[in-house]
Amino acid sequence: MILKNIGVFYGKNLRYINSTNLKINNHYFDNISKYCSNENNEPIIDCEGLIILPGFINSHTHIGDSIAKDVNLDLTVNEKVNPIYGIKKQIINNSLPTHLESYMYSTCKSMIKKGITTFVDFREGGILGVTMLKKILRLVPIKCVILGRIDYYQTNEQIIKNRSIPKDKQEELRVVSNSVDGLGISGANEYSDSVLAHFSKINKFRAIHAAETEASIKKSKQLTGKSEIQRSLQIKPHFIIHMTYASKFDLHIVRKYTNNIVVCPRSNAAMAEKFPDVYSMLKLGYNVSLGTDNVMINSPDIFREMDYLWKTVMSINNKRIAPLDILKMATVNAGKIFRNKGVIQKGSIADCIFIKKHEVDLDPMHDPHAAIVHRASESSISAVMINGKIIHGKI
């Protein structure tokens, strides 16, 4: 397939090319040039008026609670999503699997329509939860990085006494980890140092929520005498979620273990938590990506996430993050973690979004990066492509 006369956000720096030709071959981007050859008489599509950008990567979701949208809005984070006693767990435990699957399916369809071609899901429920999500993914052409876990959490006494993970739970963890792309750990406050060290030995992606709330930071100090960030680093994470209350000191020590942070600003705001210090994270050289978090709390919409982040940073810091850097958070930066995604260049997987250049909210487009970050929306999308095939809309 050759796409003619198309605008492109090209390469790892998302350089905007107003008009070029783009060849897609065997699910991958091939030649990107005004002079694409067509030796094999491939179909040629005139894309005048369209811009192509990398498919969005939603770097942190919990789609299992899609059935509980906006339930008990005024509860705290723990009251809502604590893995042991939160209302989310109660709702999921009391829901029929077919109902849960139906709403998870709808969320996947919703993400595709919004230009999300890959999402990274913290999958609760052990092997049954993983099996349920895989069943959904066979019905929807969206990609998913599944980070599983087992339903095992320790008491305060077990944490203080540094109890290790029981043999039967070690076996359960082995089964789950063999079925997923990695581990998505709820938080350090649910486990002893011994268990966190055990998680670090799983040779796949490892991720953990950390410093999401002030209460979680205080609990770690009271329970163990150590900071939550320091304890979270014991799993040797490939990336950390939230860092909402991370201090400057925290940001410096995390750099020794990982350069990857996923922030979820709208979710934090919806839960009346602090805004993450994205400005400092970028200044320190972190690779920052965007997630939308729990569907029960927040809609899985990267357009809205980017717009909120851009404007809120300016409001708080009186300094603006470049729209280009925010667009990278939704594409290129996440692609650095999850490999061969989030970029349009020769050899990369052809996952992308086609944007209507002359859509009413975007035209005239004086700054293409800013236009996408704070003016584009689902209505701006002409089509979504995954693995070189149009799976939503048309071009």
Side-chain angles (χ1 to χ4, degrees):
M1 176 192 304
I2 295 178
L3 308 176
K4 289 187 62 179
N5 307 316
I6 191 164
V8 178
F9 287 96
Y10 173 73
K12 293 180 181 179
N13 287 315
L14 297 176
R15 178 168 64 91
Y16 180 65
I17 302 171
N18 186 55
S19 182
T20 189
N21 297 336
L22 175 59
K23 189 174 183 178
I24 296 172
N25 186 25
N26 291 330
H27 314 311
Y28 294 90
F29 294 116
D30 194 347
N31 195 17
I32 301 173
S33 167
K34 263 291 186 185
Y35 309 101
C36 280
S37 59
N38 190 15
E39 306 94 346
N40 301 321
N41 293 319
E42 297 175 78
I44 298 174
I45 303 172
D46 190 348
C47 293
E48 181 67 43
L50 293 177
I51 300 171
I52 190 172
L53 70 149
F56 291 144
I57 301 171
N58 190 345
S59 294
H60 184 59
T61 68
H62 295 263
I63 74 163
D65 56 22
S66 297
I67 197 170
K69 296 183 184 79
D70 303 323
V71 170
N72 293 91
L73 286 174
D74 295 326
L75 296 181
T76 65
V77 175
N78 267 330
E79 289 168 339
K80 273 200 167 190
V81 298
N82 185 283
I84 303 169
Y85 60 78
I87 193 169
K88 164 183 171 171
K89 184 174 180 65
Q90 298 172 38
I91 291 171
I92 290 175
N93 286 349
N94 292 319
S95 297
L96 292 173
T98 52
H99 289 173
L100 295 173
E101 290 167 6
S102 173
Y103 288 105
M104 289 166 65
Y105 173 85
S106 296
T107 293
C108 289
K109 296 287 284 185
S110 171
M111 285 194 283
I112 288 172
K113 290 178 180 179
K114 294 174 175 65
I116 295 166
T117 53
T118 299
F119 69 103
V120 183
D121 199 62
F122 266 43
R123 186 85 285 263
E124 302 97 335
I127 195 65
L128 292 178
V130 171
T131 302
M132 185 182 296
L133 179 54
K134 287 186 174 182
K135 178 180 176 181
I136 299 303
L137 294 172
R138 287 194 290 269
L139 304 175
V140 194
I142 195 169
K143 295 177 179 178
C144 180
V145 177
I146 305 176
L147 303 180
R149 71 172 76 151
I150 58 173
D151 280 336
Y152 170 68
Y153 307 99
Q154 292 182 304
T155 64
N156 289 350
E157 182 183 2
Q158 289 173 321
I159 294 169
I160 291 168
K161 291 184 177 180
N162 198 25
R163 293 286 167 80
S164 58
I165 184 169
K167 293 290 184 183
D168 62 324
K169 292 301 177 181
Q170 289 184 34
E171 175 59 19
E172 189 179 340
L173 180 65
R174 186 192 67 78
V175 171
V176 169
S177 62
N178 285 342
S179 304
V180 294
D181 301 294
L183 295 185
I185 306 303
S186 175
N189 287 335
E190 279 84 49
Y191 302 105
S192 67
D193 290 349
S194 174
V195 175
L196 294 172
H198 186 87
F199 291 151
S200 75
K201 296 171 185 175
I202 302 298
N203 192 26
K204 291 191 173 184
F205 285 123
R206 296 179 301 275
I208 189 167
H209 301 103
E212 181 180 4
T213 69
E214 219 167 5
S216 68
I217 290 175
K218 289 178 181 177
K219 181 177 179 179
S220 181
K221 279 287 187 184
Q222 291 169 351
L223 201 59
T224 68
K226 301 175 186 175
S227 80
E228 185 189 6
I229 296 290
Q230 288 172 315
R231 298 196 68 240
S232 297
L233 294 173
Q234 290 180 81
I235 75 161
K236 299 176 183 176
H238 293 86
F239 57 101
I240 294 181
I241 318 298
H242 293 306
M243 297 288 281
T244 320
Y245 285 88
S247 66
K248 293 287 196 300
F249 176 74
D250 290 330
L251 290 175
H252 280 287
I253 64 169
V254 166
R255 282 292 300 276
K256 298 175 183 177
Y257 296 86
T258 182
N259 194 45
N260 302 311
I261 297 175
V262 177
V263 295
C264 309
R266 285 190 307 138
S267 173
N268 297 148
M271 297 303 296
E273 296 297 338
K274 188 178 175 183
F275 189 85
D277 190 359
V278 180
Y279 189 84
S280 292
M281 292 174 188
L282 293 176
K283 278 191 71 175
L284 288 168
Y286 277 102
N287 182 58
V288 182
S289 302
L290 283 177
T292 60
D293 209 351
N294 297 77
V295 178
M296 73 179 289
I297 295 169
N298 197 34
S299 60
D301 190 329
I302 292 294
F303 284 119
R304 293 173 69 179
E305 206 70 47
M306 291 191 297
D307 183 40
Y308 178 77
L309 173 61
W310 190 64
K311 290 166 181 169
T312 305
V313 168
M314 183 62 181
S315 174
I316 291 173
N317 296 335
N318 201 26
K319 295 176 182 176
R320 205 179 293 286
I321 295 177
L324 168 60
D325 291 333
I326 293 177
L327 190 55
K328 282 183 177 181
M329 293 179 201
T331 55
V332 175
N333 292 5
K336 289 178 183 177
I337 306 173
F338 304 112
R339 306 183 190 122
N340 207 25
K341 303 178 189 294
V343 64
I344 297 173
Q345 63 184 18
K346 185 178 175 67
S348 292
I349 296 170
D351 296 347
C352 52
I353 311 165
F354 293 81
I355 297 288
K356 295 174 277 189
K357 186 187 297 187
H358 303 299
E359 199 259 344
V360 63
D361 287 331
L362 304 181
D363 195 27
M365 190 181 289
H366 296 296
D367 184 327
H369 299 105
I372 300 300
V373 165
H374 83 115
R375 295 188 188 275
S377 64
E378 180 180 342
S379 66
S380 309
I381 295 175
S382 174
V384 177
M385 174 180 281
I386 295 180
N387 286 336
K389 294 184 179 180
I390 299 294
I391 52 94
H392 169 68
K394 62 181 180 179
I395 55 176

